[in-house]
Amino acid sequence: MNETDLAFTPALELAQLIRRREVSPLELTELYLDRISRFNPQLGSYFTVTADLAIADAKAKTELLTTASELPPFFGVPISIKDLNAVAGVTCTYGNPAFVKNISNYDDGVVSKIKQAGFTILGKTATSELGSYPYSEPTGFTPARNPWNLEYTPGGSSGGAAASVTAGLCAIAQGSDGGGSIRGPAACCGVVGIKPARGRVTQAPVGDRMGGIAVNGPIARTVSDAAAMLDVISGYITGDPYWLTNPEPSFLAATQVKNQKLKIAFSTSITPLGDADTNCKQGVLKTVKLLAEIGHEIAEKCPDMSGLVEPFQIVWQSGVAAAGIPPEALQPLNQFLLSRTGSAGEYLQALAQMQIVSRQIVAFFDNIDVLVLPVYLHSPIKVGEWENLTPEEIFQNIIKWVAPCPVANATGLPAIAIPVGFDSNGLPLSVQLIGKPADESTIISLAAQLETANPWIQHRPNL
């Protein structure tokens, strides 16, 4: 296996290579750091590269290999962390230049679980400012670019995370999703992204994130890698406002389960925001055709999401106000969102309305196992494509583009984005599977079936 093949090897396989002493944690870390030094200047995937810390950690793990009898599941496997999450001793910028010297003095709960699983952290990946919009090019930072075509965005707000996996700049990545911020970048970049069910993954030490719409999750090359990472980052930490018990068997085990005949709904339009473009529509139709061939029951229907649009916007934009950053230190779009923020009472009214509509949408799943939707309503935009528009115009464009995503955040339902081909521009094409409450296992199992029927792992961007 040459170095490029090694860099694109799934994380679970890398963990086994380490266990068999066929490659060391230090060799892998040096390999990825070399690729980062070569390709990150053009890709902008990482805001911060923690080379010294990663080398020190990898050296310690390599020495431990000679004596340890028990190893955590991802021992020595290199990972990236999104730059909205705290890693002790490392800068956390939140995509804002004012925080370039902000050194975290603690680990977020999800980061603690990542370290406990044996991963080696390579650095912090690019995000939009405060994670509030679906492309990753904040002022003062190199814009993140899509490894398949550098003219296009890798999405946001976990754009750097998805691009780093796609380009072989890490084995697997941590992201977060408050309105499609894992699924959108996974779709733009042609990798797998899981938005877990509410309460599956801790938000410690913070409590509620905007009514529970935001969650941490994995971005990976394969469904199995994403499922295995979800296993290790799941679980309650004292004081979490929402929590779920971990499934038996594991999420990884779910990838080996062949679902019985499922009732699967699909749609290529989102009421009231419109239809998917030809590319995204074809991705859904191709997927449901394959699911029908596998033996599942297919019906074209979708819950009415029109009641979510306004309350979700109010809850989502409240995240900008919650950051407590002066307006003059924000980008124009976030200044605009901040200016729209109302009173605490208006926020609570919107949250209550969002939850009322969410109950109606969740009831749709009483008779449906999985809903198949496009991830976005149109293909990725170019880097800087909207920079000459007014903030209000950008905001309206964002609402229409990401329309299929917020339903999973508002309801707390699990969802997974998986690649299904390429669009007419040669960019990856994806769909998302949305599951019943707390039922990641079914959508993971179904995604694994689709991955087997339509393998993707052999596709790599030509950097």
Side-chain angles (χ1 to χ4, degrees), residues 107-197:
D107 289 328
D108 274 354
V110 68
V111 172
S112 295
K113 287 178 177 288
I114 282 168
K115 289 182 176 180
Q116 291 163 11
F119 287 107
T120 292
I121 296 172
L122 297 172
K124 307 291 290 296
T125 52
T127 177
S128 57
E129 185 182 67
L130 305 181
S132 57
Y133 42 94
Y135 47 95
S136 304
E137 44 197 86
T139 301
F141 298 85
T142 301
R145 296 179 180 274
N146 196 313
W148 294 96
N149 186 325
L150 298 182
E151 292 186 4
Y152 289 85
T153 181
S157 61
S158 306
S164 67
V165 174
T166 303
L169 305 189
C170 61
I172 196 167
Q174 173 268 338
S176 57
D177 191 316
S181 287
I182 284 175
R183 289 161 289 158
C188 290
C189 293
V191 287
V192 177
I194 298 178
K195 181 263 165 198

Side-chain angles (χ1 to χ4, degrees), residues 194-198 200 230 234 244 251 254 414-415 436-445:
I194 298 178
K195 181 263 165 198
R198 183 174 299 151
R200 182 69 67 196
L230 183 56
S234 293
L244 297 171
F251 293 123
K436 288 176 176 285
D439 189 17
E440 291 97 330
S441 294
T442 294
I443 58 172
I444 286 171
S445 173

Side-chain angles (χ1 to χ4, degrees), residues 61 120 206 223 259 266 353 384 446:
K61 287 187 168 81
T120 292
V206 180
V223 175
N259 295 124
F266 78 94
Q353 183 60 31
L446 194 61

Side-chain angles (χ1 to χ4, degrees), residues 219 451 462:
I219 297 175
E451 184 180 56
N462 183 22

Side-chain angles (χ1 to χ4, degrees), residues 250-274:
S250 67
F251 293 123
L252 178 58
T255 64
Q256 302 303 312
V257 174
K258 185 175 182 181
N259 295 124
Q260 300 301 313
K261 187 175 184 179
L262 297 175
K263 293 182 178 179
I264 298 175
F266 78 94
S267 180
T268 58
S269 65
I270 302 298
T271 305
L273 296 171

